[in-house]
Amino acid sequence: MTYELAEGVVFTRLPFGGGVLVEGATLALAECTESQAAVVQDLLGSPVKKPEDGFARDLLESGWLVERKDVR
């Protein structure tokens, strides 16, 4: 199972090490600490990572991240 950003969501790493998720249509914003940003980046970059972290599960449950079933 792999994960990707939900439609309309953009993830940006910040210079201080954190990150920001922004949903374009509503301009909803989720700030990430450095460790949370690393979790997001790991989930997006690895086809074997699972959202064991509570923060990652929260992102999936709230719709920031979605499961991608069509692994290429």
Side-chain angles (χ1 to χ4, degrees):
M1 187 67 58
T2 60
Y3 301 92
E4 63 187 4
L5 297 171
E7 187 173 339
V9 174
V10 176
F11 175 65
T12 304
R13 291 295 302 246
L14 298 174
F16 62 84
V20 177
L21 290 156
V22 178
E23 200 285 315
T26 63
L27 297 180
L29 177 79
E31 295 179 86
C32 305
T33 64
E34 185 172 350
S35 61
Q36 291 170 330
V39 168
V40 172
Q41 203 159 18
D42 285 350
L43 282 172
L44 295 175
S46 173
V48 296
K49 282 278 189 182
K50 296 188 179 180
E52 297 166 358
D53 178 86
F55 175 70
R57 280 194 310 270
D58 290 346
L59 289 175
L60 284 164
E61 290 172 3
S62 61
W64 291 100
L65 295 176
V66 294
E67 294 178 0
R68 184 172 69 193
K69 294 177 172 72
D70 64 327
V71 177
R72 298 170 200 176

